[in-house]
Amino acid sequence: MSVKILADSACDLPLSFFKENDVTLFPLKVHLDGQEYEDLLTIDSTKIYEAIRLGNVPKTSQVSPLLFEEVFTNMAKNGEDGIYIAFSSELSGTYQTAVMMLEQVKENFPDFNLKIVDSKCASLGAGLVVMEAVKLSKTGKSFSEIEEAVKFHCEQMEHLFTVDDLEYLAKGGRVSKASAFLGGLLNIKPLLNVEGGKLVPIEKLRGKKKLMRRIIEVMNERGDSLHQQVIGISHADNEEMVSEIKEMMKQELNVRNVYISSIGSAIGSHTGSGTIAIFFLNKLPAAH
């Protein structure tokens, strides 16, 4: 029997991916105008960016503990094995809650074989790991092979991203107030990455062209055999820049395979519109 793959909506894969590949979805919650929504299921990011533009501040909360309990219990009853690739524990309490609920379920089903992996990734960084896990599960790889590959991909996953305004990340506590130093400065763009599961500003650049040039340089410095990888690009309402950066990757880095997705409501609530993020491995698995 193939290994069941589980993921939360912070991996920014589209709902169609979850349905087509029978991946279990745990939606994060988004709170807006006194209403609670389920990311990917009952709200989409266009509504979030519209609200932010109007001055509203959406809040997010982790996946429901009861949903974890329900899904884990059903899997245990059915004798299913699974691997859940969770949103970085440094950015959400979702991983910790999942671990707690698994421990509860295991009291009744001690043989239940579910591994929860703290991806230390965000957005399509986690999404690319989920895609790899699905591919391996479909080709009949063993539980331990998939778990090992998942952990490897999580550890080697690079995140490079820029936001139009660091204010949203600072408001949500995702970067320190001190890091949100770019507020009103004219046309200054921050370049950030993820280190140890946390968002860390690398440098600030003036203007979009310099920023894109620097993204290509950093990819070249950090990436391993980029032409052999699936490169991820997620964005918040910024298709024009996606097209430009994708073309630069093809021309200058010989990138052949690019997967593009929209940033969902949970992540988008903290980044605002205009965000663009690039994901790739700094080391390929030995099989390559």
Side-chain angles (χ1 to χ4, degrees), residues 128-192:
L128 291 181
V129 181
V130 174
M131 288 168 69
E132 181 67 17
V134 166
K135 187 178 84 179
L136 295 173
S137 180
K138 283 183 173 177
T139 54
K141 296 292 185 194
S142 70
F143 190 95
S144 59
E145 285 174 312
I146 299 171
E147 185 186 349
E148 194 182 319
V150 163
K151 286 180 174 174
F152 179 91
H153 278 71
C154 290
E155 283 162 14
Q156 314 303 331
M157 188 64 67
E158 294 280 350
H159 302 56
L160 287 180
F161 67 103
T162 184
V163 292
D164 267 359
D165 192 342
L166 272 174
E167 179 195 351
Y168 304 119
L169 288 173
K171 272 181 184 169
R174 266 42 183 198
V175 296
S176 71
K177 295 284 192 287
S179 297
F181 50 76
L182 303 164
L185 297 178
L186 185 66
N187 208 18
I188 295 284
K189 298 282 187 186
L191 181 61
L192 302 93

Side-chain angles (χ1 to χ4, degrees), residues 141-252:
K141 296 292 185 194
S142 70
F143 190 95
S144 59
E145 285 174 312
I146 299 171
E147 185 186 349
E148 194 182 319
V150 163
K151 286 180 174 174
F152 179 91
H153 278 71
C154 290
E155 283 162 14
Q156 314 303 331
M157 188 64 67
E158 294 280 350
H159 302 56
L160 287 180
F161 67 103
T162 184
V163 292
D164 267 359
D165 192 342
L166 272 174
E167 179 195 351
Y168 304 119
L169 288 173
K171 272 181 184 169
R174 266 42 183 198
V175 296
S176 71
K177 295 284 192 287
S179 297
F181 50 76
L182 303 164
L185 297 178
L186 185 66
N187 208 18
I188 295 284
K189 298 282 187 186
L191 181 61
L192 302 93
N193 71 347
V194 170
E195 289 174 20
K198 294 179 180 173
L199 309 185
V200 182
I202 307 176
E203 56 194 273
K204 51 189 182 189
L205 299 130
R206 187 177 290 280
K208 190 176 80 168
K209 287 280 182 278
K210 279 188 181 167
L211 175 73
M212 291 201 293
R213 166 76 24 232
R214 186 67 186 126
I215 287 172
I216 295 294
E217 284 172 7
V218 176
M219 285 182 74
N220 197 31
E221 288 162 13
R222 297 186 184 182
D224 179 15
S225 305
L226 292 167
H227 63 287
Q228 291 182 39
Q229 296 191 36
V230 178
I231 309 297
I233 306 179
S234 64
H235 70 99
D237 213 10
N238 199 350
E239 287 179 15
E240 184 189 337
M241 193 167 165
V242 169
S243 301
E244 288 179 53
I245 201 104
K246 182 182 169 186
E247 196 53 42
M248 287 172 79
M249 284 180 197
K250 283 183 173 177
Q251 297 291 334
E252 299 181 38

Side-chain angles (χ1 to χ4, degrees), residues 104-118:
Q104 282 189 31
V105 170
K106 277 193 162 184
E107 286 173 15
N108 295 321
F109 301 93
D111 296 332
F112 178 36
N113 185 23
L114 177 77
K115 182 71 183 177
I116 302 174
V117 178
D118 178 3

Side-chain angles (χ1 to χ4, degrees), residues 39-140:
D39 184 20
L40 217 56
L41 295 177
T42 57
I43 191 169
D44 68 29
S45 46
T46 51
K47 187 165 182 171
I48 292 296
Y49 306 138
E50 202 176 292
I52 288 171
R53 276 192 283 269
L54 292 170
N56 295 337
V57 182
K59 301 276 186 215
T60 59
S61 58
Q62 57 184 274
V63 174
S64 154
L66 290 174
L67 180 60
F68 280 134
E69 185 181 32
E70 182 189 328
V71 169
F72 295 166
T73 302
N74 286 338
M75 285 180 68
K77 282 178 180 172
N78 295 331
E80 291 180 288
D81 296 342
I83 297 174
Y84 167 32
I85 297 149
F87 186 22
S88 171
S89 63
E90 296 288 347
L91 299 171
S92 169
T94 290
Y95 166 76
Q96 220 49 61
T97 300
V99 169
M100 191 172 68
M101 299 319 290
L102 176 59
E103 283 168 6
Q104 282 189 31
V105 170
K106 277 193 162 184
E107 286 173 15
N108 295 321
F109 301 93
D111 296 332
F112 178 36
N113 185 23
L114 177 77
K115 182 71 183 177
I116 302 174
V117 178
D118 178 3
S119 71
K120 298 286 172 76
C121 296
S123 187
L124 202 50
L128 291 181
V129 181
V130 174
M131 288 168 69
E132 181 67 17
V134 166
K135 187 178 84 179
L136 295 173
S137 180
K138 283 183 173 177
T139 54

